[in-house]
């Protein structure tokens, strides 16, 4: 990230702290769901996709998803049972969120790229959880429920984050933060 201003860092920090607090709340809700109805836990993981996408949508610069996700992970680490692992998970999700834009060399910020990133992350999450949990231990219907949650949550929460980011942009917080060489079509 070149030309990083204090304002950009503070914007990432504000989004990251808010995201971290939401992560902490979700850790307890998700833990309860995992204990009572583990097949539905996947539907709770989408929250981890909010801060990175909001930061990307508002700022539209490379690296902000990883930075914001790392801040969110650090904020939530002492507030949830998995501790520092939350930071590592958040950073991994932030890196996934950077990929579609890295491929375009951070020149395109179309809304569909955010959704494609959510779909790819959903496929990776669902496949990973199927391989880890469902392959041998669950019947077909239970495996389908588990995988659906891990696939749908990243896509839905990415769409929600795009809407939140758009609302923030309408307030004017993005003025002066966005990279000048970005291209956006009418769909963004």
């Amino acid at each position: 990230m070149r030309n990083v201003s204090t304002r950009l860092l503070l914007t990432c920090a504000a989004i990251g702290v808010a995201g971290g607090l939401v992560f902490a709340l979700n850790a307890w809700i998700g833990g309860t769901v995992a204990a009572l109805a583990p097949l539905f836990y996947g539907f709770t993981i989408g929250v981890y996709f909010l801060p990175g996408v909001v930061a990307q949508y508002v700022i539209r610069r490379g690296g902000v998803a990883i930075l914001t996700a790392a801040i969110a992970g650090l904020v939530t680490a002492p507030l949830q049972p998995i501790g520092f692992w939350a930071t590592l998970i958040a950073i991994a999700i932030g890196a996934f969120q950077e990929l579609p834009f890295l491929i375009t060399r951070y020149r395109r910020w179309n809304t569909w790229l955010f959704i494609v990133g959510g779909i790819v992350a959903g496929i990776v999450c669902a496949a990973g959880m199927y391989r880890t949990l469902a392959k041998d231990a669950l019947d077909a219907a239970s495996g389908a429920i588990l995988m659906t949650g891990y696939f749908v949550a990243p896509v839905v929460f990415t769409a929600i984050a795009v809407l939140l980011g758009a609302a923030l942009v309408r307030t004017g917080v993005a003025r002066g933060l966005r990279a000048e060489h970005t291209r956006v079509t009418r769909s963004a």
Side-chain angles (χ1 to χ4, degrees), residues 14-16 22 32 48 54 56 62 72 93 105 110 112 121 130 143 184:
I15 295 168
V22 171
T32 303
Y48 289 99
V54 170
Q56 284 180 309
I93 290 171
R105 295 176 51 197
N110 305 82
W112 65 268
Y130 177 76
V184 180

Side-chain angles (χ1 to χ4, degrees), residues 51-77:
V53 172
V54 170
Q56 284 180 309
Y57 195 91
V58 170
I59 300 169
R60 298 190 185 212
R61 289 190 185 213
V64 297
I66 293 175
L67 175 62
T68 305
I71 293 167
L74 289 170
V75 166
T76 195

Side-chain angles (χ1 to χ4, degrees), residues 11-91:
T11 302
C12 288
I15 295 168
V17 168
L21 295 174
V22 171
F23 289 1
L25 177 63
N26 183 64
W28 297 101
I29 293 169
T32 303
V33 170
L36 298 176
L39 293 180
F40 297 101
Y41 175 71
F43 290 101
T44 69
I45 67 151
V47 170
Y48 289 99
F49 290 80
L50 290 174
V53 172
V54 170
Q56 284 180 309
Y57 195 91
V58 170
I59 300 169
R60 298 190 185 212
R61 289 190 185 213
V64 297
I66 293 175
L67 175 62
T68 305
I71 293 167
L74 289 170
V75 166
T76 195
L79 304 175
Q80 63 172 301
I82 63 172
F84 188 71
W85 285 105
T87 304
L88 299 177
I89 292 167
I91 290 171

